[in-house]
Amino acid sequence: MFCRIFALDIKRAILGRWKRFSVALLFFVLVTFACKISFSNAYLQSPQLSPFAALTLGDFLLYAFGGCDGVRSASLFGFDRPFEIPFQWLLLVLLAVYINFDLTEESSAGVNVQLLLRAGDKKQYWLSKILCITISTSLYFVLGVIVTLGCGFALGGVSSLEIDKLILNVMNLSSMVPREATSPAFIPTLLMVWFAILTITLLQQLISLFIKPIGSFLVMAVFLFLSAYFMKPFFFGNYAMMIRNALLCEGGVDAAEGILILSLVSLASIARGCVVYDRKDILSKGES
């Protein structure tokens, strides 16, 4: 029975949302071109640098998934720098949330009553949603990485995960000091971004059980906005930024602590959702 429920949900979550995935992939294409243009302009303004230096694939990935400078937390109150909003990073995470932000409400409204009665347990519906969201969010992340690498390679990116320090200036990340051995930590740092984005999407689904999906989407948008300015464990949006990970840069957020927090929030979202969804009256929605 779970397989039938899951088949319906996966059709809605992925096949029924191909337009949203297309918008997301276009975002990564545009970000890659923006990275190339910004980097080239930075070299033109620095005549002392070699004109033959090129971006690495690591630079492209960092530009797409890096996030924003931690010192901007002080800028919120008028210190250090002019106030800035990290629009690119916010779009990166919010696009992942947007793909399935209304999946629970949509599938509940169209639920087959006979299927639900035969299942005898509404928890199966919630767990199906969770599995679909995990798959679609992972697909979004993997496709984003592939598109970034593909476009970056087509634009002359060098096959390396080393970071050119100039890319930090291009991204206004001059206060972040990358560790010397960046390559070994690059993949774990990137995976942390995936885990953080997944946790955020799961939490949004839980909140959507209490308020309308658009309301839960806005709640997460505010939460992410605050995460950009406060490097605190509670604002776990920090873990969705490569540049703020202590594995990659000095003074960043602790990776082990991040795994623990993200795991607890994800499990709590799933468990609490099971309880809440089991008490919801979705039969009337399915009949309407």
Side-chain angles (χ1 to χ4, degrees), residues 36-94:
K36 177 66 175 181
I37 294 171
S38 300
F39 194 83
S40 299
N41 289 339
Y43 263 105
L44 290 176
Q45 297 171 8
S46 304
Q48 72 276 13
L49 298 175
S50 169
F52 301 105
L55 282 160
T56 67
L57 296 182
D59 291 329
F60 280 108
L61 287 173
L62 184 67
Y63 191 89
F65 297 92
C68 61
D69 200 333
V71 301
R72 290 183 180 175
S73 58
S75 299
L76 184 63
F77 303 102
F79 304 114
D80 283 329
R81 301 184 188 181
F83 176 72
E84 295 181 44
I85 299 177
F87 288 107
Q88 179 181 309
W89 175 76
L90 287 172
L91 280 174
L92 167 72
V93 184
L94 289 176

Side-chain angles (χ1 to χ4, degrees), residues 160-225:
S160 170
L161 294 180
E162 294 296 330
I163 299 172
D164 191 314
K165 289 186 177 180
L166 183 58
I167 196 67
L168 300 179
N169 294 330
V170 170
M171 298 173 65
N172 294 321
L173 300 173
S174 55
S175 72
M176 308 305 288
V177 181
R179 299 188 182 279
E180 292 185 5
T182 56
S183 293
F186 204 92
I187 299 302
T189 305
L190 191 60
L191 289 176
M192 180 72 82
V193 174
W194 162 78
F195 192 17
I197 292 176
L198 176 59
T199 301
I200 290 165
T201 59
L202 293 178
L203 180 58
Q204 182 271 328
Q205 285 298 305
L206 173 63
I207 297 174
S208 71
L209 296 180
F210 298 94
I211 59 179
K212 290 291 185 180
I214 189 63
S216 63
F217 182 85
L218 294 175
V219 168
M220 296 314 301
V222 172
F223 177 78
L224 290 169
F225 177 82

